[in-house]
Amino acid sequence: MALHKTQTLYIYNSISKEKEKFSPINKGAVGMYVCGPTVYSNVHMGNCRTFLSFDLVFRYLKHLGYKVRYVRNITDAGHLENDGESDEDPIAKKAKLENIEPMEVVQKYTVDFHQTMARFNALPPSIEPTATGHIIEQIEIIEQIIKQGYAYQVNGSVYFDVTTFNKDHHYGKLSGRNLEDMISNTRALAGQSEKKNPQDFALWKKADSGHIMRWASPWSDGFPGWHLECTAMSTKYLGQQFDIHGGGMDLKFPHHECEIAQSEAIHKKSPVNYWMHANMLTLNGKKMAKSTGNNILPAELFSGENTLLSKAFSPGVAKFFMYQAQYRSILDFSDDALVASEKGYNKLMDAYKSIDDISCSEHSSIDITIWRQSCYDAMNDDFNSPILIAQLFEGVKHINTLKEAKASITKEDLQVLQNTMHGFIFEVLGLTDATSMETGNDDKLSGAIELLIELRNQARNNKDFATSDKIRDDLQQVGIQLKDGKEGTSFSLS
RNA sequence: GGCAUCAUGGCCGAGCGGCUAGGCAGAGGUCUGCAAAACCUUCUACAGCGGUUCGAAUCCGCUUGAUGCCUCCA
């Protein structure tokens, strides 16, 4: 029986601002759409946090036995909304700077994005559509919106008529705004625009002569507005109404608000049942951003090549650090926090690996079923990963107590303990064990170290501590730490 | 200016009216030839001021501070 029949999941819905019991439109299947990256530069850690937050959602839904169709787009056409002269399609701009084709830019950073996600052990989405691959669908949606009377065209461009839409709908219901306030607050800024109202947003923009990315349409040679692609692709792959729509907090307004307006304009119903917004990863207390340079790249983190970092951190540690905060909380990136997370991460992994050392008894003195459920309770409460991790450390405590034989466990319960630890650490959190020797796959090295350990033990038996300490300390110097335990000496690479 | 969110112990972070997570650091201990590692135990908090309540970190109001959005942004 699928787990989702016995576990009740609650999701915080941004639009109702409440945790709601999750119930998908189609029994046992979930449709989820997440706004993906704009591929005109390398993704930074802030971008990664959002995608890792939704990777957790994806993984947990799958773990619960749902069939999930996870759609995450690649924005490979620059979106342009305003008509100020400083605005320029970021992809076309980057293409000019690097003197290459726009699609070359797109390709380069798409590859980077995929490689980065793979290093974080994030699962690929079920469908990863591109904006440029769905121009026809976007044009069709514009035609329908015009037909419904919620859009108008001016000089080859088409704009969504927010004022008209707001007469029979509520534009701003997701972000808690209302049109009257927005109008009164922006009146002073309204310059010479071809839009009827500053709040109107572009569905189609006529391309000027220098604009590289352009497509033919009934209105002009141009390109689609930036809110349109998500409506086109989510509708195409998930239907007019689907279960979960996610994205970064910064996309709530105007992007997601506009998606709602576009969908409601043509389908007359709300497109999404559960809106989820992942919060920002900050650096120095400020949001990471590509434009301001206030960001840190995954590659810098993995290599340690950044003045903010005292050392390199593995992708698993970075992920663990992020999951120690709930996805709806702002999280500040710092070396201190990473160092602390790394130690906790190693403790968790070491304990997991030592489960095999536990011996079984006739009776269990600990209630493993209650503990197991508390892990699920954490995730069922709006994917509360920090609570889950706290529960996993309870599991660590159980493991250590059992190893010391201060508690007993049956074979069946031990299997539950191991399966639960494994399921949550590797399947749900998607952590990887980067510290183990397998990644290095270096039998020669471990053979040499084993020899040194043997020599050291001989010296110790002969009370030749000068020799034994030299072996220990010199190995430490090159980053190999010996660990003396009851069962003999082991080692780890740092 | 408008809208929204947040303020928790040395640090990072849960918490959503009573039972006061977890990690890191600190302190004590076990083990050890000495260490390290590992493990066990342990300390401390809810921005300020009012209010509601038998009882508030948790609800309400005000004050202060911070952040996000209102322009591309995960």
Side-chain angles (χ1 to χ4, degrees), chain A residues 317-318 320-322 324 336-346:
Chain A
V317 168
F320 188 71
F321 156 72
M322 291 194 260
Q324 276 186 299
D336 286 349
L338 257 325
V339 169
S341 288
E342 182 170 54
K343 292 187 179 170
Y345 173 86
N346 290 335

Side-chain angles (χ1 to χ4, degrees), chain A residues 49 56 317-327 329 331 337-345 384-387 389-390 393 429:
Chain A
R49 186 189 181 198
L56 182 69
V317 168
K319 201 169 169 180
F320 188 71
F321 156 72
M322 291 194 260
Y323 288 162
Q324 276 186 299
Q326 217 261 352
Y327 76 91
S329 301
L331 177 63
L338 257 325
V339 169
S341 288
E342 182 170 54
K343 292 187 179 170
Y345 173 86
N384 200 324
S385 52
I387 298 278
I389 289 171
F393 278 110
L429 295 175

Side-chain angles (χ1 to χ4, degrees), chain A residues 223-484:
Chain A
F223 51 95
W226 73 288
H227 308 304
L228 205 55
E229 60 177 279
C230 291
T231 300
M233 296 185 275
S234 64
T235 306
K236 176 163 181 172
Y237 298 112
L238 298 172
Q240 296 177 3
Q241 278 188 307
F242 55 97
D243 300 301
I244 298 172
H245 188 130
M249 197 69 111
D250 50 352
L251 297 184
K252 204 171 184 180
F253 187 89
H255 184 58
H256 292 156
E257 203 70 75
C258 294
E259 275 187 57
I260 292 175
Q262 288 166 163
S263 278
E264 289 188 348
I266 52 177
H267 301 132
K268 308 295 169 198
K269 55 192 175 193
S270 189
V272 173
N273 285 344
Y274 302 87
W275 280 97
M276 294 182 70
H277 290 95
N279 218 325
M280 299 292 105
L281 182 66
T282 60
L283 186 62
N284 302 314
K286 294 259 163 61
K287 178 188 173 185
M288 283 196 198
K290 290 174 187 173
S291 51
T292 60
N294 184 240
N295 67 64
I296 187 160
L297 300 177
E300 296 172 320
L301 187 73
F302 304 153
S303 68
E305 284 164 16
N306 186 296
T307 51
L308 293 163
L309 300 171
S310 61
K311 63 186 285 296
F313 293 96
S314 74
V317 168
K319 201 169 169 180
F320 188 71
F321 156 72
M322 291 194 260
Y323 288 162
Q324 276 186 299
Q326 217 261 352
Y327 76 91
R328 284 191 288 122
S329 301
I330 293 169
L331 177 63
D332 195 56
F333 186 95
S334 73
D335 188 69
D336 286 349
L338 257 325
V339 169
S341 288
E342 182 170 54
K343 292 187 179 170
Y345 173 86
N346 290 335
K347 183 177 173 177
L348 180 65
M349 287 301 184
D350 286 347
Y352 174 75
K353 277 182 264 182
S354 71
I355 290 179
D356 294 335
D357 301 339
I358 296 171
S359 39
C360 303
S361 312
E362 291 293 309
H363 303 284
S364 290
S365 62
I366 49 179
D367 194 327
I368 220 71
T369 314
I370 288 179
W371 167 77
R372 178 176 180 270
Q373 184 55 42
S374 66
C375 293
Y376 281 98
D377 289 345
M379 286 303 287
N380 290 339
D381 184 16
D382 193 32
F383 311 95
N384 200 324
S385 52
I387 298 278
L388 169 65
I389 289 171
Q391 290 301 335
L392 293 178
F393 278 110
E394 284 300 310
V396 169
K397 201 165 263 188
H398 286 320
I399 290 167
N400 289 327
T401 314
L402 289 164
K403 266 195 315 189
E404 305 277 313
K406 287 175 183 163
S408 59
I409 193 163
T410 63
K411 199 178 169 190
E412 292 72 31
D413 280 353
L414 182 63
Q415 197 60 52
V416 173
L417 174 66
Q418 176 149 29
N419 289 347
T420 306
M421 290 293 282
H422 185 275
F424 280 104
I425 294 173
F426 299 105
E427 278 177 35
V428 175
L429 295 175
L431 297 175
T432 43
D433 188 2
T435 56
S436 73
M437 282 299 288
E438 292 94 83
T439 51
N441 194 25
D442 199 337
D443 292 343
K444 290 174 187 166
L445 178 63
S446 61
I449 297 172
E450 292 296 344
L451 176 66
L452 287 166
I453 289 173
E454 198 182 316
L455 291 172
R456 172 168 169 267
N457 284 339
Q458 280 176 18
R460 289 172 76 196
N461 288 336
N462 298 331
K463 304 225 185 287
D464 178 7
F465 298 123
T467 304
S468 70
D469 289 358
K470 180 175 169 53
I471 293 171
R472 176 225 287 164
D473 297 340
D474 287 5
L475 282 175
Q476 179 86 55
Q477 284 290 312
V478 296
I480 297 165
Q481 186 178 47
L482 300 187
K483 297 173 178 177
D484 294 329

Side-chain angles (χ1 to χ4, degrees), chain A residues 9-168:
Chain A
L9 175 63
Y10 285 82
I11 297 181
Y12 181 87
N13 196 341
S14 297
I15 203 161
S16 67
K17 294 180 183 171
E18 280 175 3
K19 283 179 192 168
E20 296 176 9
K21 186 175 168 180
F22 179 66
S23 172
I25 295 166
N26 300 304
K27 220 172 184 176
V30 179
M32 173 162 97
Y33 187 93
V34 171
C35 295
T38 304
V39 282
Y40 67 94
S41 65
N42 297 301
V43 285
H44 60 244
M45 287 305 298
N47 300 311
C48 293
R49 186 189 181 198
T50 296
F51 302 126
L52 292 176
S53 293
F54 288 105
D55 187 53
L56 182 69
V57 172
F58 182 38
R59 283 170 174 277
Y60 189 59
L61 289 170
K62 282 168 63 114
H63 179 80
L64 289 181
Y66 285 112
K67 184 170 181 270
V68 187
R69 180 179 288 172
Y70 173 24
V71 181
R72 187 184 63 204
N73 65 301
I74 294 278
T75 298
D76 57 352
H79 16 72
L80 191 58
E81 187 198 22
N82 247 338
D83 32 2
E85 53 192 331
S86 64
D87 291 312
E88 195 173 5
D89 178 336
I91 290 171
K93 187 179 174 187
K94 187 83 178 182
K96 281 184 209 164
L97 284 174
E98 300 195 349
N99 199 24
I100 49 179
E101 274 293 314
M103 286 314 285
E104 208 174 338
V105 176
V106 164
Q107 180 70 19
K108 178 179 171 186
Y109 294 115
T110 301
V111 168
D112 170 75
F113 174 60
H114 286 155
Q115 284 175 344
T116 302
M117 285 298 111
R119 290 211 65 182
F120 278 118
N121 194 31
L123 297 173
S126 325
I127 301 176
E128 193 167 46
T130 61
T132 56
H134 296 75
I135 301 293
I136 290 168
E137 287 84 350
Q138 296 182 66
I139 289 172
E140 281 170 3
I141 287 179
I142 297 170
E143 285 173 332
Q144 288 179 60
I145 296 173
I146 292 173
K147 204 164 138 193
Q148 295 294 330
Y150 294 115
Y152 56 92
Q153 62 167 300
V154 188
N155 303 327
S157 294
V158 183
Y159 295 98
F160 191 94
D161 189 339
V162 171
T163 315
T164 303
F165 176 79
N166 197 54
K167 281 174 188 161
D168 42 13

